[in-house]
Amino acid sequence: MAEVVLFRNRDLPGYTGSLADYERQEGYAALRLMFKQYPPAELIELVKRANLRGRGGAGFPTGMKWSFLPKERTVTYLCCNADESEPGTFKDRELMTVDPHQMIEGIVIASYAIGAHAAYIYMRGEFASEAVIVARAVQEAYKAGYLGKNILGSGFDLELTLHRGAGAYICGEETALLESIEGKRGLPRSKPPFPATHGLYGKPTVINNVETLASLPHILRRGAEWYASIGSPPKSPGTRIFSVSGHVKRPGNYEVPMGITFRQLIFDLAGGMKSDRPLKAFIPGGASASFFTPDHLDVKMDFDEVAKAGSMLGSGGVTVMDDSVCMVWAAANLLRFFHHESCGKCTPCREGSNWLLRVLRRIEHGQGRLTDLDLLPQVCGNIAGRTVCAFGDAETAPVVSTLRHFRAEYEAHITRKECVMGHARPPVDAATAHPISFAGH
Ligand SMILES: Cc1cc2nc3c(=O)[nH]c(=O)nc-3n(C[C@H](O)[C@H](O)[C@H](O)COP(=O)(O)O)c2cc1C
């Protein structure tokens, strides 16, 4: 398999991720090179030439995002998005724990490029042990002069703060993240204005994902042309870490060049199907991405090819399901998550997620009606594109795509009360669609 970049230290015997270990593997060499050779404007050009695209979900070109900052500005902030709450996605978690200094070096590089003297790592609240590891690494970096005043004698100052969330999925959305750092309830902001002009505390701000930032030291050390030539050039260069979970023999994080196929990832790297049951469906890019079927196994894993095939690479979480999984159950399970996590700001998402869940549950439990199969897409149509943030689109993806690919399964639930998962489904309450468990309980 091709070269590993971001995880190159992960499997070194005895590698602990300490500053000393990182430095032994050329850690912070990119930073020294940067201060010697690159004025900020040239650094932005370098990242543009490398065509690095954001690894947080949308795949937005990083250099272009940086150049949206207004020319005249007094204060600029950088936020590293380490919220990673998308179900099935666990790559940032491993990046931060295995090699925290790689992310910190990336943060210093990005801050220097955009002229930020204050940066934040916004970390998912549930990451308790990860927070300890990152906090320790930040302290080490301060002590060694990679953070703080006059970094490596360059005259550049940067204060880096680790800010922990409190367990809300929505705080991974960039503007909800900003609200949360400001000490407010994490609700997304209406855009425009965009964070590039009105971000943290109303000042120009860049928000980048952990993996995006961790890629920067490599691009600096090895050059834009090298990066632009690996993976799936010209539009999706570089390597990417995919988190593979579900019914595979070897679940885990795999760093691969962009552009390999889902078949290679699932069958060659992740060992194929656990228990050797046939593949039924997979989610190609986190819970917000539309389901794929075995017909999509040869789709290339690059941003544009996956979009062309009707889904998205999103957060890089690939969840694999064999034929024991009921697709109505899978959609309802995801909607349970989205309904629980809807922040409530926008009516279509707040109310719609509740209705989607109720209708899915009654179908799942054998109490659905055939008209529900028209009702579901209608409700989805009233959510997607009608909310302040992309959460609304995300919550409709499992419903629309399972209906598209597995309509017969929905019909079997409604007309014949059949489910591939076989086990008896207790009836649900007609009004709430909550399962009625035992009488009197
Ligand atoms: C509901 C929602 C949740 C999100 N969660 C995350 C997250 O956990 N981590 C992340 O990096 N981006 C997340 N994003 C995307 C961010 O809003 C933002 O686009 C990203 O951090 C930008 O970084 P990038 O340009 O490096 O990809 C989320 C978006 C939405 C709509």
Side-chain angles (χ1 to χ4, degrees):
M1 205 76 218
E3 185 189 11
V4 168
V5 178
L6 297 164
F7 276 156
R8 70 197 185 112
N9 297 332
R10 181 180 65 169
D11 301 323
L12 293 176
Y15 189 81
T16 64
S18 68
L19 178 61
D21 279 5
Y22 186 61
E23 284 176 327
R24 263 193 292 276
Q25 303 303 324
E26 296 180 87
Y28 291 106
L31 206 60
R32 293 176 200 279
L33 182 74
M34 175 181 85
F35 288 133
K36 239 195 259 160
Q37 286 188 10
Y38 288 96
E42 276 182 37
L43 193 53
I44 297 176
E45 283 313 305
L46 180 90
V47 173
K48 276 189 183 165
R49 279 206 319 279
N51 200 13
L52 170 66
R53 292 174 65 174
R55 291 345 193 196
F60 196 82
T62 306
M64 195 191 292
K65 183 187 269 194
W66 294 356
S67 43
F68 287 158
L69 292 166
K71 294 258 170 310
E72 302 300 323
R73 57 186 195 273
T74 46
V75 179
T76 312
Y77 293 109
L78 176 82
C79 296
C80 169
N81 192 340
D83 195 56
E84 194 166 63
S85 307
E86 185 79 5
T89 313
F90 41 88
K91 62 176 179 82
D92 295 339
R93 179 185 199 171
E94 192 166 11
L95 270 174
M96 288 187 283
T97 47
V98 165
D99 227 359
H101 285 284
Q102 181 176 240
M103 171 183 71
I104 295 171
E105 189 176 7
I107 289 172
V108 185
I109 292 169
S111 299
Y112 173 77
I114 64 170
H117 299 292
Y120 292 84
I121 302 169
Y122 187 92
M123 186 182 282
R124 177 183 176 152
E126 291 89 338
F127 284 171
S129 55
E130 294 79 357
V132 173
I133 292 170
V134 171
R136 194 186 305 136
V138 169
Q139 266 180 9
E140 279 183 315
Y142 265 107
K143 257 201 206 140
Y146 296 122
L147 286 171
K149 296 257 172 277
N150 191 19
I151 297 174
L152 299 176
S154 65
F156 178 69
D157 305 334
L158 180 66
E159 299 300 330
L160 176 60
T161 305
L162 173 62
H163 185 105
R164 293 183 61 196
Y169 169 70
I170 194 61
C171 288
E173 194 281 333
E174 57 187 17
T175 57
L177 180 152
L178 300 178
E179 291 281 298
S180 175
I181 295 181
E182 290 180 9
K184 302 180 200 144
R185 188 172 157 193
L187 301 179
R189 299 176 182 168
S190 311
K191 294 183 255 187
F194 291 93
T197 55
H198 296 74
L200 191 61
Y201 305 112
K203 300 294 180 198
T205 302
V206 164
I207 300 111
N208 276 136
N209 170 259
V210 171
E211 187 182 350
T212 312
L213 293 167
S215 304
L216 295 173
H218 304 282
I219 294 174
L220 239 159
R221 266 193 315 112
R222 305 183 62 180
E225 285 62 38
W226 161 76
Y227 193 82
S229 72
I230 60 173
S232 188
K235 289 197 171 160
S236 297
T239 64
R240 180 134 196 217
I241 302 169
F242 291 99
S243 308
V244 187
S245 63
H247 294 137
V248 287
K249 290 199 173 83
R250 290 193 296 271
N253 282 321
Y254 292 92
E255 183 180 3
V256 297
M258 296 271 268
I260 69 160
T261 64
F262 285 103
R263 187 186 299 282
Q264 285 172 293
L265 179 73
I266 295 170
F267 286 92
D268 298 346
L269 294 167
M273 302 305 290
K274 194 174 160 187
S275 318
D276 296 318
R277 294 184 74 120
L279 170 70
K280 181 171 183 179
F282 59 99
I283 305 174
S288 311
S290 293
F291 279 60
F292 271 171
T293 69
D295 290 344
H296 298 98
L297 275 174
D298 294 312
V299 171
K300 278 172 64 178
M301 300 180 73
D302 82 18
F303 289 111
D304 307 297
E305 292 296 315
V306 175
K308 239 192 271 163
S311 189
M312 63 173 185
L313 267 195
S315 60
V318 178
T319 305
V320 179
M321 295 168 215
D322 69 21
D323 67 346
S324 67
V325 178
C326 164
M327 287 299 127
V328 182
W329 170 84
N333 194 33
L334 285 165
L335 257 294
R336 194 160 59 97
F337 169 80
F338 284 120
H339 173 52
H340 179 72
E341 293 294 344
S342 173
C343 75
K345 177 164 178 160
C346 308
T347 308
C349 173
R350 185 185 64 241
E351 301 300 322
S353 60
N354 181 29
W355 279 109
L356 288 178
L357 177 60
R358 282 198 204 186
V359 176
L360 287 168
R361 272 209 177 127
R362 74 175 177 229
I363 298 174
E364 185 198 350
H365 290 262
Q367 291 160 270
R369 314 156 194 154
L370 278 174
T371 49
D372 286 344
L373 301 186
D374 299 324
L375 181 61
L376 284 173
Q378 197 189 326
V379 176
C380 288
N382 284 322
I383 302 172
R386 292 168 194 263
T387 52
V388 158
C389 82
F391 188 113
D393 299 38
E395 72 189 354
T396 64
V399 185
V400 174
S401 60
T402 52
L403 261 173
R404 184 189 312 136
H405 299 306
F406 301 99
R407 192 179 176 91
E409 215 165 310
Y410 278 87
E411 288 168 353
H413 267 267
I414 295 169
T415 57
R416 301 196 299 278
K417 324 271 181 236
E418 276 174 19
C419 171
V420 294
M421 284 164 74
H423 49 253
R425 294 305 168 89
V428 287
D429 183 278
T432 62
H434 289 309
I436 304 167
S437 40
F438 304 98
H441 287 262

